[in-house]
Amino acid sequence: MKKLTKRDVSLYLVKINLNFENAYNFGDDEQALLIESWFEALSEYPKEICDIAVNNALKHAKFAPKLGDIVEQIEKLLNADSKSDEELWTELTGVTAKVYDISRYLKYEQYFRNATAKLKTIYDGLSDELKLYVVNISTLIEISELPNDSLPYEKARFFKQMPILRKHAAEKQTAKLMLKDIEQVKMLPDKKGK
């Protein structure tokens, strides 16, 4: 994968200007600052993804795409393989009967270790996105023990919480990347030779 360059960003802005007359017509200083700010935001992504995102943003834009529009398209591309909330709910309900049956053995000392291992295997097999909601094995057991008439309420709660949990996880990942970048900048030698 190729790394994004400032020249690539400059070409994106030219492309947007060609499609939306005078969208980003600035003086040299403002243009340089615009390129720099876009580059800082987009440089963490592969060039190929950025190229596609710019084209997708242009395809769907009624107004000149802004940086946020490009990043939104990038996120869509990067999350294309993610399961939908409906698929995650189906995954969860697909294991609850088995979890319920196995969890009944936890109260018997002679079966406890084996039942715990089986539950761990089921939990470890859940998709990472689903684990945002089902935080641990205990929560998985609690969900499996819900009466059938409570499932519609749990489903509604699930669909309300998943977008929030996904957003929080993405923000956390972004914060980690930013901290990593800050640490790398701190490790750079001082230009004065200090």
Side-chain angles (χ1 to χ4, degrees):
M1 283 190 225
K2 293 181 181 177
K3 283 218 164 246
L4 189 73
T5 65
K6 287 184 181 179
R7 180 168 174 14
D8 296 322
V9 172
S10 179
L11 291 174
Y12 296 157
L13 293 170
V14 167
K15 193 180 239 187
I16 292 169
N17 267 333
L18 289 173
N19 284 281
F20 296 94
E21 191 176 321
N22 299 323
Y24 292 111
N25 279 346
F26 299 119
D28 291 342
D29 290 339
E30 291 89 358
Q31 189 74 16
L33 188 59
L34 183 67
I35 291 169
E36 182 65 33
S37 65
W38 278 46
F39 178 74
E40 285 177 14
L42 299 177
S43 63
E44 66 189 71
Y45 304 109
K47 179 192 178 309
E48 294 82 2
I49 297 284
C50 292
D51 291 347
I52 294 168
V54 169
N55 289 335
N56 285 351
L58 282 169
K59 250 188 253 182
H60 301 288
K62 292 185 178 19
F63 302 99
K66 305 285 187 216
L67 179 58
D69 300 322
I70 307 301
V71 172
E72 183 179 310
Q73 290 296 322
I74 290 171
E75 295 300 325
K76 283 181 184 176
L77 290 167
L78 293 176
N79 294 323
D81 292 337
S82 297
K83 292 183 177 181
S84 69
D85 290 347
E86 191 65 46
E87 290 170 318
L88 291 172
W89 178 253
T90 301
E91 180 182 345
L92 177 59
T93 56
V95 299
T96 53
K98 190 172 187 176
V99 168
Y100 179 82
D101 291 342
I102 294 169
S103 69
R104 302 298 101 206
Y105 288 95
L106 292 174
K107 56 184 155 187
Y108 303 108
E109 189 177 325
Q110 67 269 30
Y111 300 119
F112 182 84
R113 184 179 297 156
N114 189 31
T116 302
K118 287 180 178 180
L119 290 170
K120 183 177 179 347
T121 301
I122 291 170
Y123 178 78
D124 290 344
L126 296 176
S127 26
D128 290 337
E129 290 174 296
L130 189 52
K131 288 179 186 172
L132 295 171
Y133 186 77
V134 181
V135 179
N136 52 38
I137 295 171
S138 297
T139 306
L140 186 58
I141 293 169
E142 287 175 18
I143 293 170
S144 76
E145 293 173 340
L146 289 172
N148 284 339
D149 60 342
S150 294
L151 280 179
Y153 299 106
E154 185 65 24
K155 184 177 182 179
R157 185 171 159 262
F158 178 86
F159 280 93
K160 183 177 181 181
Q161 288 295 312
M162 279 310 296
I164 297 166
L165 294 170
R166 279 188 169 131
K167 182 180 178 188
H168 178 70
E171 288 170 351
K172 194 173 180 181
Q173 184 63 28
T174 301
K176 284 181 184 179
L177 289 171
M178 288 174 65
L179 289 173
K180 183 179 171 186
D181 289 344
I182 290 169
E183 287 301 316
Q184 288 176 346
V185 168
K186 286 181 181 178
M187 296 175 78
L188 291 175
D190 191 354
K191 290 183 180 181
K192 296 178 183 175
K194 293 182 182 178

